[in-house]
């Protein structure tokens, strides 16, 4: 049993050493990939592009508000014109009737 305990300790020590080596190698690989990749540059460009759209979105929002106000005004004018036409139609019909007499 003493041999099994010593082997177990040895195996654990070797595994621990190998695990440390793997973690260290992985860390080095990740650092290299981050350093050599353009991910950071691309993310920076994307963030700047996204931030630059704020002004355009704000401007578009303002334009949409103006268009909406214009539509409301045009609707009001159209309703006023329709009421005027409704008032004029009977008069026009009477005039046409008088002309036919």
């Amino acid at each position: 049993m003493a041999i099994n305990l010593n082997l177990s300790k040895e195996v654990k020590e070797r595994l621990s050493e190998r695990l440390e080596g793997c973690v260290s190698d992985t860390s080095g690989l990740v650092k290299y990939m981050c350093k050599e990749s353009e991910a950071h540059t691309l993310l920076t460009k994307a963030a700047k592009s996204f931030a630059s759209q704020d002004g355009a979105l704000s401007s578009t929002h303002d334009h949409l508000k103006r268009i909406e106000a214009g539509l409301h005004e045009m609707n009001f004018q159209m309703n006023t014109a329709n009421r005027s036409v409704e008032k004029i139609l009977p008069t026009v019909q009477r005039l046409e009737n008088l002309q036919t007499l």
Side-chain angles (χ1 to χ4, degrees):
M1 190 126 189
I3 296 174
N4 282 340
L5 289 176
N6 287 339
L7 281 176
S8 180
K9 286 182 182 178
E10 254 183 67
V11 169
K12 286 181 182 179
E13 286 175 8
R14 282 190 207 165
L15 282 174
S16 179
E17 289 172 4
R18 286 190 176 187
L19 183 60
E20 285 179 30
C22 286
V23 169
S24 177
D25 290 346
T26 303
S27 172
L29 180 61
V30 168
K31 286 179 185 176
Y32 174 78
M33 288 173 62
C34 288
K35 183 179 175 185
E36 296 298 318
S37 76
E38 293 183 22
H40 178 70
T41 305
L42 292 174
L43 285 173
T44 302
K45 286 181 182 179
K48 287 180 181 177
S49 177
F50 184 74
S52 72
Q53 296 304 314
D54 191 40
L57 287 173
S58 178
S59 176
T60 301
H61 187 282
D62 291 343
H63 284 95
L64 287 173
K65 282 183 176 179
R66 289 182 194 153
I67 289 171
E68 186 177 27
L71 284 173
H72 286 299
E73 179 64 26
M74 290 171 68
N75 250 345
F76 176 76
Q77 290 176 0
M78 184 179 72
N79 288 335
T80 303
N82 281 339
R83 283 192 302 270
S84 297
V85 167
E86 288 172 3
K87 289 178 183 177
I88 292 173
L89 277 178
T91 307
V92 169
Q93 287 174 349
R94 283 187 213 144
L95 286 173
E96 287 176 348
N97 287 339
L98 287 175
Q99 285 177 349
T100 56
L101 292 177

